[in-house]
Amino acid sequence: SQQGEEDPQALSIQEGENATMNCSYKTSINNLQWYRQNSGRGLVHLILIRSNEREKHSGRLRVTLDTSKKSSSLLITASRAADTASYFCATGTLGNQFYFGTGTSLTVIP
Amino acid sequence: DTGVSQDPRHKITKRGQNVTFRCDPISEHNRLYWYRQTLGQGPEFLTYFQNEAQLEKSRLLSDRFSAERPKGSFSTLEIQRTEQGDSAMYLCASRRLSMRGALTDTQYFGPGTRLTVL
């Protein structure tokens, strides 16, 4: 079974608003990554946060990690129509696999 | 474009036929992963290679599936006697060793091969 679960499953916002999506996972992790996937395309790596980090920023992206709650959130500020995509969290362990969640489908309305 | 390419991008086949997909990773990447993604789901791990060695296979990888990476560069994924349940997007990703010899955390994904089994 997949490691992570994203919440909400779908999110629709107006351009310019902020979008927040959450990821919960089940076991201990080494790092957590967020990916974006446009419809029918491959995944694009957005940002990585390590288990000893609590917050990380990259451009309009802000990621938080709470290992005690086994959860992470991705905030996209000042959303654009081009941000419309599915967003997945992936947990990395000390092993070699990455476990992906079920994804949040984000629609940004121009 | 991440530098990882996959071929073909789309494949339509009839049930019972064999299909083969190819992945060309970023050239200096030692690790190569195969994932399967069905509609509305995240990618599920199938198998991975360290250079030419296949080091791990998921239980999802039935005996109809075989993967190779003969020279430690490109990889192929073959599905024999395809079934309708094999219809999915097959994704390849690669990952490299850092200068200090450790694996970097980021995987770079190809665009995927979408398989439709009729």
Side-chain angles (χ1 to χ4, degrees), chain A residues 49-61:
Chain A
I49 187 166
R50 300 190 187 283
S51 59
N52 61 353
E53 297 175 314
R54 291 296 167 259
E55 187 171 314
K56 204 161 183 180
H57 298 255
S58 176
R60 294 184 296 114
L61 305 179

Side-chain angles (χ1 to χ4, degrees), chain B residues 22-89:
Chain B
R22 175 178 170 128
C23 170
D24 286 89
I26 296 171
S27 60
E28 66 268 24
H29 285 197
N30 307 79
R31 285 277 175 97
L32 186 149
Y33 297 78
W34 284 100
Y35 292 86
R36 181 173 69 190
Q37 184 180 23
T38 53
L39 199 62
Q41 299 294 315
E44 293 180 299
F45 169 80
L46 293 178
T47 187
Y48 87 89
F49 292 83
Q50 171 79 7
N51 299 316
E52 66 274 9
Q54 187 175 18
L55 297 186
E56 192 168 345
K57 293 192 287 187
S58 163
R59 285 173 290 179
L60 293 174
L61 211 65
S62 76
D63 55 6
R64 296 184 298 103
F65 288 69
S66 62
E68 294 182 343
R69 194 182 183 197
K71 298 182 180 178
S73 56
F74 72 91
S75 175
T76 58
L77 177 67
E78 181 183 16
I79 309 175
Q80 296 181 327
R81 305 180 303 281
T82 52
E83 302 173 355
Q84 288 183 325
D86 297 332
S87 294
M89 175 81 89

